[in-house]
Amino acid sequence: MQKLVLIRHGESVWNRENRFTGWTDVDLSDEGYQQAKRAGQLLKKYDYNFDIGFTSLLKRSIKTLHIVLEELDHLWIPVEKSWRLNERFYGALQGINKDEAVGKYGIEQVQKWRRDPNEAPPSITKEDKRYPGHDIRYEDLTERELPLTENLSQTMDRVLPFWNETIIPAIRKNEKVIICAHGNSLRALIKYIDNLSDKDVTALEIPTAVPCVYELDEGLNRIRHYYLE
């Protein structure tokens, strides 16, 4: 049996301000730092250790993993960062307060954009300062890979190649893996691992900075999963 640990980053500044964040590179809030620290302490309490970590290119996720590994005295392990683990790209909603979005578009439409796997928020244009093509960290991505908006299904389409081509081989080598990512990139991954329906994933909530342990059999199928307390 293999154990895989998934963890959503700690609370960000824009989480606290109730804003849509997406690929905007905002920092952890003070509470987010403390949440990450508690997550590391919790993993230490249960004697977890890791051989490799995976995270996104966004600082709230990178810093959360760093803090967790620091608590475990595991800062020396390799960490691979990939844009494929970035949060869902929220298009024109990025930076907008969620309550303001509800006032403008209505709660039903905003909920569809947030939760329906096949509903994407309004797109931005390539001239928009939020377009990731303006960011040096994404200079190697193709035009097709640079999003103007994304739904959860499109997020899954970019997460799964990284899962299959990079993370799965590490698990097959019996490496102990921790993945620190975002609410929607993790929802996409969990939808795949647990074979969730669109309806089930719509209701899926992932708390910030609480380690979720997946126990996998020899075929890397899920046996069970649970949050550490």
Side-chain angles (χ1 to χ4, degrees):
M1 181 188 71
Q2 286 278 70
K3 287 185 178 180
L4 167 70
V5 173
L6 308 179
I7 184 167
R8 182 184 174 191
H9 64 78
E11 180 192 72
S12 74
V13 174
W14 278 14
N15 287 149
R16 180 165 286 270
E17 295 176 1
N18 200 33
R19 295 178 183 270
F20 288 99
T21 309
W23 286 27
T24 308
D25 199 14
V26 300
D27 209 340
L28 294 174
S29 67
D30 290 342
E31 174 61 20
Y33 277 92
Q34 293 305 313
Q35 289 176 347
K37 192 176 182 72
R38 289 194 292 270
Q41 291 168 348
L42 197 56
L43 287 163
K44 186 174 183 178
K45 172 184 173 182
Y46 289 104
D47 295 321
Y48 277 80
N49 57 83
F50 300 99
D51 298 306
I52 189 168
F54 297 97
T55 188
S56 73
L57 294 183
L58 301 171
K59 70 179 72 171
R60 58 193 185 272
S61 179
I62 295 168
K63 287 187 176 182
T64 297
L65 182 57
H66 184 96
I67 293 165
V68 166
L69 295 178
E70 188 170 37
E71 289 298 316
L72 291 168
D73 197 21
H74 271 43
L75 285 176
W76 54 271
I77 72 167
V79 172
E80 184 166 345
K81 305 176 185 74
S82 174
W83 69 275
R84 291 185 178 276
L85 292 178
N86 277 12
E87 176 59 292
R88 175 158 72 106
F89 191 83
Y90 270 102
L93 294 182
Q94 290 190 174
I96 304 299
N97 180 279
K98 293 173 184 176
D99 292 333
E100 292 176 5
V102 168
K104 182 176 181 179
Y105 299 106
I107 189 167
E108 184 176 345
Q109 182 59 67
V110 172
Q111 281 299 102
K112 283 184 179 179
W113 286 333
R114 292 187 66 191
R115 293 298 180 183
D116 190 316
N118 302 303
E119 286 274 345
S123 297
I124 59 168
T125 66
K126 293 177 183 176
E127 290 69 42
D128 194 300
K129 64 181 181 180
R130 295 168 291 185
Y131 178 57
H134 302 312
D135 193 318
I136 191 172
R137 80 192 86 180
Y138 306 118
E139 62 182 357
D140 293 331
L141 271 61
T142 66
E143 187 171 338
R144 185 171 177 270
E145 290 171 332
L146 292 166
L148 300 174
T149 186
E150 279 184 319
N151 59 34
L152 185 67
S153 295
Q154 291 167 320
T155 305
M156 182 182 288
D157 287 343
R158 62 169 162 85
V159 169
L160 289 186
F162 190 70
W163 167 255
N164 288 317
E165 297 167 14
T166 305
I167 299 175
I168 285 290
I171 297 173
R172 290 196 185 281
K173 289 192 293 185
N174 291 318
E175 292 185 332
K176 301 179 183 70
V177 171
I178 182 171
I179 303 172
C180 183
H182 304 263
N184 282 292
S185 51
L186 290 176
R187 285 175 72 226
L189 185 55
I190 289 170
K191 185 179 192 298
Y192 176 76
I193 295 173
D194 287 348
N195 194 27
L196 298 179
S197 67
D198 285 354
K199 181 179 179 181
D200 288 339
V201 78
T202 298
L204 179 62
E205 294 280 356
I206 302 174
T208 51
V210 181
C212 180
V213 180
Y214 269 77
E215 295 182 356
L216 308 174
D217 65 18
E218 290 185 359
L220 302 187
N221 301 302
R222 178 183 63 86
I223 300 170
R224 63 172 182 149
H225 70 271
Y226 47 88
Y227 286 98
L228 295 182
E229 298 179 354

